[in-house]
Protein backbone atom coordinates (compact mmCIF):
# COMPACT_ATOMS: atom_id res chain seq x y z
CA UNK A 1 0.00 0.00 0.00
CA UNK A 2 1.37 3.41 -0.99
CA UNK A 3 1.28 6.43 1.31
CA UNK A 4 0.84 9.51 -0.85
CA UNK A 5 1.70 12.80 0.85
CA UNK A 6 1.70 15.13 -2.14
CA UNK A 7 -0.67 16.04 -4.95
CA UNK A 8 2.05 15.34 -7.52
CA UNK A 9 2.64 11.80 -6.19
CA UNK A 10 -1.11 11.15 -6.15
CA UNK A 11 -1.50 12.30 -9.76
CA UNK A 12 1.38 9.96 -10.73
CA UNK A 13 -0.35 7.08 -8.91
CA UNK A 14 -3.60 7.90 -10.75
CA UNK A 15 -1.96 8.04 -14.16
CA UNK A 16 -0.45 4.58 -13.61
CA UNK A 17 -3.64 2.99 -12.20
CA UNK A 18 -5.32 0.31 -14.29
CA UNK A 19 -9.06 -0.30 -14.06
CA UNK A 20 -11.53 1.60 -11.92
CA UNK A 21 -10.27 3.95 -9.21
CA UNK A 22 -12.52 4.14 -6.14
CA UNK A 23 -12.03 6.84 -3.53
CA UNK A 24 -13.13 6.71 0.12
CA UNK A 25 -12.78 10.26 1.53
CA UNK A 26 -12.26 10.29 5.31
CA UNK A 27 -10.84 12.41 8.10
CA UNK A 28 -9.16 9.36 9.64
CA UNK A 29 -9.78 7.90 13.12
CA UNK A 30 -11.17 5.02 11.12
CA UNK A 31 -13.77 2.71 12.67
CA UNK A 32 -15.96 -0.17 11.53
CA UNK A 33 -18.16 2.26 9.58
CA UNK A 34 -15.18 3.36 7.50
CA UNK A 35 -14.09 -0.28 7.18
CA UNK A 36 -17.47 -1.05 5.58
CA UNK A 37 -16.92 1.82 3.10
CA UNK A 38 -13.43 0.56 2.22
CA UNK A 39 -14.75 -3.01 1.74
CA UNK A 40 -17.47 -1.64 -0.52
CA UNK A 41 -14.83 0.33 -2.44
CA UNK A 42 -12.70 -2.81 -2.80
CA UNK A 43 -15.58 -4.74 -4.31
CA UNK A 44 -16.46 -1.83 -6.65
CA UNK A 45 -12.84 -1.58 -7.80
CA UNK A 46 -12.51 -5.32 -8.41
CA UNK A 47 -9.17 -7.07 -8.70
CA UNK A 48 -7.97 -4.82 -11.52
CA UNK A 49 -8.92 -1.51 -9.97
CA UNK A 50 -7.50 0.63 -7.16
CA UNK A 51 -8.89 1.78 -3.83
CA UNK A 52 -7.63 5.10 -2.51
CA UNK A 53 -8.52 6.19 1.04
CA UNK A 54 -7.97 9.88 1.72
CA UNK A 55 -7.19 10.82 5.30
CA UNK A 56 -7.29 14.55 5.85
CA UNK A 57 -8.71 16.40 8.86
CA UNK A 58 -10.06 19.28 6.82
CA UNK A 59 -9.68 22.49 8.83
CA UNK A 60 -12.09 24.48 6.67
CA UNK A 61 -15.13 22.45 7.69
CA UNK A 62 -14.65 23.15 11.40
CA UNK A 63 -16.08 26.29 13.00
CA UNK A 64 -13.92 28.43 15.31
CA UNK A 65 -15.47 26.86 18.42
CA UNK A 66 -15.46 23.29 17.11
CA UNK A 67 -13.23 20.33 17.86
CA UNK A 68 -10.50 20.61 15.17
CA UNK A 69 -7.58 20.52 17.61
CA UNK A 70 -8.95 17.59 19.63
CA UNK A 71 -10.06 15.59 16.57
CA UNK A 72 -8.37 12.17 16.92
CA UNK A 73 -5.46 11.39 14.55
CA UNK A 74 -4.36 7.76 15.11
CA UNK A 75 -2.34 7.67 11.89
CA UNK A 76 -0.50 4.35 12.16
CA UNK A 77 -3.64 2.53 13.35
CA UNK A 78 -5.51 3.94 10.34
CA UNK A 79 -2.74 2.82 7.98
CA UNK A 80 -2.82 -0.71 9.39
CA UNK A 81 -6.59 -0.92 8.97
CA UNK A 82 -6.45 0.35 5.36
CA UNK A 83 -3.73 -2.16 4.49
CA UNK A 84 -5.68 -5.02 6.09
CA UNK A 85 -8.75 -4.12 4.01
CA UNK A 86 -6.82 -4.15 0.75
CA UNK A 87 -6.57 -0.41 0.04
CA UNK A 88 -3.96 0.34 -2.62
CA UNK A 89 -3.07 3.83 -1.44
CA UNK A 90 -3.70 6.37 1.28
CA UNK A 91 -3.71 10.03 0.31
CA UNK A 92 -2.64 11.75 3.53
CA UNK A 93 -1.53 15.30 2.70
CA UNK A 94 -0.32 17.87 5.22
CA UNK A 95 -2.68 20.86 5.53
CA UNK A 96 -0.31 23.11 3.56
CA UNK A 97 -0.48 20.77 0.56
CA UNK A 98 -4.26 21.24 0.38
CA UNK A 99 -4.51 24.91 1.37
CA UNK A 100 -1.89 27.45 0.42
CA UNK A 101 -1.55 30.38 2.83
CA UNK A 102 -3.42 32.65 0.38
CA UNK A 103 -6.08 30.07 -0.62
CA UNK A 104 -9.19 31.99 -1.71
CA UNK A 105 -11.44 29.82 -3.90
CA UNK A 106 -14.49 28.06 -2.45
CA UNK A 107 -17.32 25.83 -3.61
CA UNK A 108 -20.61 26.86 -2.09
CA UNK A 109 -23.77 24.81 -2.65
CA UNK A 110 -26.66 27.15 -1.93
CA UNK A 111 -29.77 25.01 -1.52
CA UNK A 112 -29.51 21.66 0.28
CA UNK A 113 -26.66 22.84 2.52
CA UNK A 114 -28.73 25.62 4.13
CA UNK A 115 -30.81 23.84 6.78
CA UNK A 116 -30.16 21.11 9.38
CA UNK A 117 -26.41 20.95 10.13
CA UNK A 118 -25.83 23.83 7.70
CA UNK A 119 -27.94 26.11 9.87
CA UNK A 120 -26.13 25.28 13.11
CA UNK A 121 -22.63 24.99 11.58
CA UNK A 122 -22.23 28.02 9.27
CA UNK A 123 -19.48 27.45 6.72
CA UNK A 124 -19.28 23.71 7.41
CA UNK A 125 -20.59 22.54 4.05
CA UNK A 126 -18.56 25.15 2.16
CA UNK A 127 -15.50 23.47 3.67
CA UNK A 128 -16.81 20.00 2.80
CA UNK A 129 -17.67 20.77 -0.83
CA UNK A 130 -14.41 22.61 -1.36
CA UNK A 131 -12.24 19.81 -0.01
CA UNK A 132 -14.26 17.06 -1.71
CA UNK A 133 -13.97 18.82 -5.07
CA UNK A 134 -10.21 19.13 -4.49
CA UNK A 135 -10.01 15.43 -3.59
CA UNK A 136 -11.92 14.60 -6.78
CA UNK A 137 -9.59 16.66 -8.96
CA UNK A 138 -6.46 15.31 -7.24
CA UNK A 139 -7.38 11.59 -7.09
CA UNK A 140 -9.67 11.66 -10.16
CA UNK A 141 -11.73 8.68 -9.01
CA UNK A 142 -14.28 6.91 -11.18
CA UNK A 143 -16.36 6.22 -8.07
CA UNK A 144 -16.45 7.77 -4.58
CA UNK A 145 -18.02 6.10 -1.54
CA UNK A 146 -19.60 8.04 1.35
CA UNK A 147 -21.55 6.95 4.43
CA UNK A 148 -25.24 7.76 4.81
CA UNK A 149 -24.85 8.64 8.48
CA UNK A 150 -23.85 12.04 7.06
CA UNK A 151 -27.13 12.22 5.19
CA UNK A 152 -26.98 15.96 4.45
CA UNK A 153 -23.35 15.72 3.37
CA UNK A 154 -24.36 13.03 0.84
CA UNK A 155 -27.14 15.28 -0.51
CA UNK A 156 -24.84 18.30 -0.76
CA UNK A 157 -22.11 16.34 -2.55
CA UNK A 158 -24.65 14.77 -4.92
CA UNK A 159 -25.91 18.25 -5.79
CA UNK A 160 -22.36 19.52 -6.36
CA UNK A 161 -21.52 16.56 -8.62
CA UNK A 162 -24.72 17.11 -10.60
CA UNK A 163 -24.41 20.90 -10.88
CA UNK A 164 -20.70 20.92 -11.79
CA UNK A 165 -20.94 17.86 -14.10
CA UNK A 166 -18.19 16.08 -12.24
CA UNK A 167 -17.26 12.77 -13.88
CA UNK A 168 -17.56 10.66 -10.72
CA UNK A 169 -20.18 8.13 -9.66
CA UNK A 170 -21.30 8.45 -6.05
CA UNK A 171 -22.10 5.44 -3.90
CA UNK A 172 -23.79 5.99 -0.51
CA UNK A 173 -23.42 3.15 1.97
CA UNK A 174 -25.72 2.41 4.92
CA UNK A 175 -24.87 3.56 8.45
CA UNK A 176 -23.02 1.03 10.61
CA UNK A 177 -24.17 0.90 14.24
CA UNK A 178 -23.14 -0.37 17.61
CA UNK A 179 -25.34 -3.22 18.89
CA UNK A 180 -27.36 -0.73 20.95
CA UNK A 181 -28.09 1.42 17.88
CA UNK A 182 -25.55 4.23 18.23
CA UNK A 183 -24.28 5.21 14.76
CA UNK A 184 -20.51 4.74 14.49
CA UNK A 185 -18.62 8.03 14.40
CA UNK A 186 -15.06 9.10 15.15
CA UNK A 187 -16.59 11.53 17.67
CA UNK A 188 -18.01 8.67 19.79
CA UNK A 189 -14.52 8.39 21.29
CA UNK A 190 -15.09 11.73 23.05
CA UNK A 191 -18.11 10.48 25.01
CA UNK A 192 -17.73 9.96 28.76
CA UNK A 193 -19.19 6.59 29.87
CA UNK A 194 -22.30 8.22 31.37
CA UNK A 195 -22.87 10.19 28.13
CA UNK A 196 -22.30 7.09 26.00
CA UNK A 197 -24.95 5.25 28.04
CA UNK A 198 -27.59 7.82 26.97
CA UNK A 199 -26.79 7.87 23.24
CA UNK A 200 -28.95 4.87 22.13
CA UNK A 201 -31.95 7.10 22.84
CA UNK A 202 -31.30 8.81 19.48
CA UNK A 203 -31.88 5.63 17.52
CA UNK A 204 -34.80 4.65 19.79
CA UNK A 205 -36.47 7.97 19.04
CA UNK A 206 -35.99 7.62 15.29
CA UNK A 207 -37.28 4.04 15.28
CA UNK A 208 -40.33 5.06 17.34
CA UNK A 209 -41.11 7.84 14.86
CA UNK A 210 -40.75 5.51 11.90
CA UNK A 211 -43.04 2.97 13.58
CA UNK A 212 -45.63 5.72 14.13
CA UNK A 213 -45.30 6.79 10.47
CA UNK A 214 -45.78 3.22 9.29
CA UNK A 215 -48.84 2.96 11.56
CA UNK A 216 -50.37 5.96 9.79
CA UNK A 217 -49.08 9.10 11.57
CA UNK A 218 -48.14 11.63 8.89
CA UNK A 219 -47.75 14.89 10.82
CA UNK A 220 -44.10 15.94 10.86
CA UNK A 221 -44.62 17.87 14.11
CA UNK A 222 -46.02 14.78 15.85
CA UNK A 223 -43.23 12.54 14.56
CA UNK A 224 -40.64 15.05 15.74
CA UNK A 225 -42.33 15.11 19.16
CA UNK A 226 -42.11 11.31 19.32
CA UNK A 227 -38.35 11.46 18.62
CA UNK A 228 -37.83 14.23 21.16
CA UNK A 229 -39.81 12.30 23.78
CA UNK A 230 -37.41 9.35 23.55
CA UNK A 231 -34.15 11.32 23.64
CA UNK A 232 -32.44 11.35 27.00
CA UNK A 233 -33.13 14.49 29.08
CA UNK A 234 -29.40 14.94 29.58
CA UNK A 235 -28.86 15.52 25.85
CA UNK A 236 -29.17 18.98 24.31
CA UNK A 237 -31.07 18.68 21.06
CA UNK A 238 -29.70 20.87 18.28
CA UNK A 239 -32.43 20.01 15.75
CA UNK A 240 -34.90 17.29 14.83
CA UNK A 241 -36.54 17.79 11.46
CA UNK A 242 -38.59 15.87 8.92
CA UNK A 243 -37.42 16.76 5.42
CA UNK A 244 -37.86 15.76 1.81
CA UNK A 245 -34.92 13.43 1.11
CA UNK A 246 -34.00 15.04 -2.21
CA UNK A 247 -34.43 18.76 -1.50
CA UNK A 248 -33.92 18.63 2.29
CA UNK A 249 -36.76 21.13 2.62
CA UNK A 250 -38.83 20.70 5.82
CA UNK A 251 -42.20 19.01 5.32
CA UNK A 252 -45.40 19.45 7.35
CA UNK A 253 -47.00 16.21 6.23
CA UNK A 254 -44.54 13.36 5.72
CA UNK A 255 -44.63 10.96 2.80
CA UNK A 256 -42.94 7.67 1.99
CA UNK A 257 -39.19 8.25 1.50
CA UNK A 258 -38.89 11.43 3.59
CA UNK A 259 -36.13 11.55 6.21
CA UNK A 260 -36.09 12.54 9.86
CA UNK A 261 -32.65 13.94 10.70
CA UNK A 262 -31.32 15.09 14.05
CA UNK A 263 -28.30 16.43 15.88
CA UNK A 264 -27.84 16.44 19.65
CA UNK A 265 -25.08 17.21 22.11
CA UNK A 266 -24.06 14.72 24.78
CA UNK A 267 -21.79 16.87 26.89
CA UNK A 268 -19.57 18.67 24.35
CA UNK A 269 -19.94 15.95 21.74
CA UNK A 270 -22.34 16.60 18.89
CA UNK A 271 -23.84 13.48 17.31
CA UNK A 272 -26.02 13.21 14.21
CA UNK A 273 -28.34 10.49 12.98
CA UNK A 274 -31.24 10.05 10.59
CA UNK A 275 -33.87 7.58 9.44
CA UNK A 276 -35.77 7.26 6.22
CA UNK A 277 -39.54 6.84 6.49
CA UNK A 278 -40.03 3.67 4.52
O1 LIG B 1 -17.25 12.75 6.15
C1 LIG B 1 -16.07 13.14 6.33
O2 LIG B 1 -15.27 12.46 6.95
C2 LIG B 1 -15.65 14.48 5.76
O3 LIG B 1 -16.66 15.42 5.84
C3 LIG B 1 -15.09 14.39 4.34
C4 LIG B 1 -16.15 13.93 3.34
C5 LIG B 1 -13.92 13.42 4.29
C6 LIG B 1 -14.59 15.76 3.88
O4 LIG B 1 -13.59 16.24 4.71
Amino acid sequence: MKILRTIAATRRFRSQARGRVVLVPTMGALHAGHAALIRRARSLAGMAGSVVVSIFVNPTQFGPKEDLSRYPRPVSQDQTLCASLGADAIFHPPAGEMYRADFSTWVHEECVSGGLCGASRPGHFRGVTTVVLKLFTIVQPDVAVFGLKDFQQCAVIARMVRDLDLPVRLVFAPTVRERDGLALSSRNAFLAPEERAETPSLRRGLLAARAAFLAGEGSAAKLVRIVRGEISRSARVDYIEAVDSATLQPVRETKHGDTIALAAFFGRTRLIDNIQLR
Side-chain angles (χ1 to χ4, degrees):
M1 186 182 69
K2 286 211 153 57
I3 309 290
L4 306 165
R5 298 283 287 165
T6 65
I7 294 169
T10 307
R11 290 239 165 91
R12 265 197 308 280
F13 175 88
R14 178 61 181 101
S15 68
Q16 287 158 9
R18 303 265 166 273
R20 188 183 278 166
V21 172
V22 185
L23 172 66
V24 183
T26 82
M27 298 206 298
L30 304 180
H31 49 64
H34 294 112
L37 302 182
I38 298 168
R39 279 196 202 93
R40 182 76 179 272
R42 186 68 271 164
S43 86
L44 288 161
M47 295 297 281
S50 303
V51 172
V52 180
V53 179
S54 65
I55 296 183
F56 179 62
V57 184
N58 174 34
T60 65
Q61 68 188 75
F62 288 78
K65 293 196 182 123
E66 293 184 351
D67 51 2
L68 173 62
S69 61
R70 70 171 188 145
Y71 202 86
R73 292 165 172 85
V75 177
S76 65
Q77 211 174 295
D78 286 350
Q79 291 181 359
T80 307
L81 182 74
C82 289
S84 75
L85 293 167
D88 299 284
I90 293 180
F91 176 50
H92 180 42
E97 183 74 5
M98 293 296 274
Y99 295 108
R100 291 184 171 81
D102 59 351
F103 183 91
S104 61
T105 304
W106 302 94
V107 181
H108 184 198
E109 192 287 324
E110 293 185 341
C111 179
V112 287
S113 66
L116 307 175
C117 290
S120 38
R121 303 183 68 191
H124 168 69
F125 286 114
R126 185 183 80 149
V128 170
T129 43
T130 301
V131 82
V132 169
L133 180 61
K134 282 175 70 70
L135 291 169
F136 285 176
T137 61
I138 295 164
V139 178
Q140 299 165 49
D142 299 293
V143 183
V145 185
F146 295 86
L148 273 170
K149 179 185 72 78
D150 298 302
F151 152 76
Q152 187 175 15
Q153 172 170 281
C154 291
V156 172
I157 291 168
R159 184 61 69 97
M160 172 181 79
V161 165
R162 189 201 72 176
D163 287 351
L164 301 183
D165 306 302
L166 303 178
V168 56
R169 178 159 78 88
L170 299 176
V171 171
F172 299 132
T175 303
V176 179
R177 299 179 180 280
E178 302 281 6
R179 289 172 71 106
D180 61 10
L182 174 64
L184 294 191
S185 161
S186 308
R187 292 194 164 91
N188 294 353
F190 298 144
L191 295 163
E194 61 281 9
E195 293 162 354
R196 171 66 185 83
E198 302 298 330
T199 56
S201 63
L202 298 180
R203 176 70 171 162
R204 268 204 311 277
L206 292 169
L207 286 172
R210 184 171 66 182
F213 170 79
L214 293 175
E217 179 57 74
S219 154
K222 286 192 183 147
L223 295 177
V224 165
R225 266 205 299 281
I226 290 171
V227 181
R228 193 175 287 268
E230 284 290 334
I231 294 179
S232 160
R233 295 269 165 273
S234 62
R236 181 164 63 80
V237 172
D238 181 1
Y239 67 78
I240 306 170
E241 268 190 65
V243 296
D244 178 283
S245 296
T247 63
L248 271 59
Q249 291 305 304
V251 293
R252 288 165 72 95
E253 218 26 55
T254 53
K255 60 186 180 309
H256 190 81
D258 284 347
T259 296
I260 301 181
L262 60 77
F265 286 90
F266 291 78
R268 287 170 63 201
T269 305
R270 185 173 179 279
L271 302 180
I272 58 173
D273 205 346
N274 66 82
I275 201 164
Q276 206 170 19
L277 299 176
R278 56 158 91 231

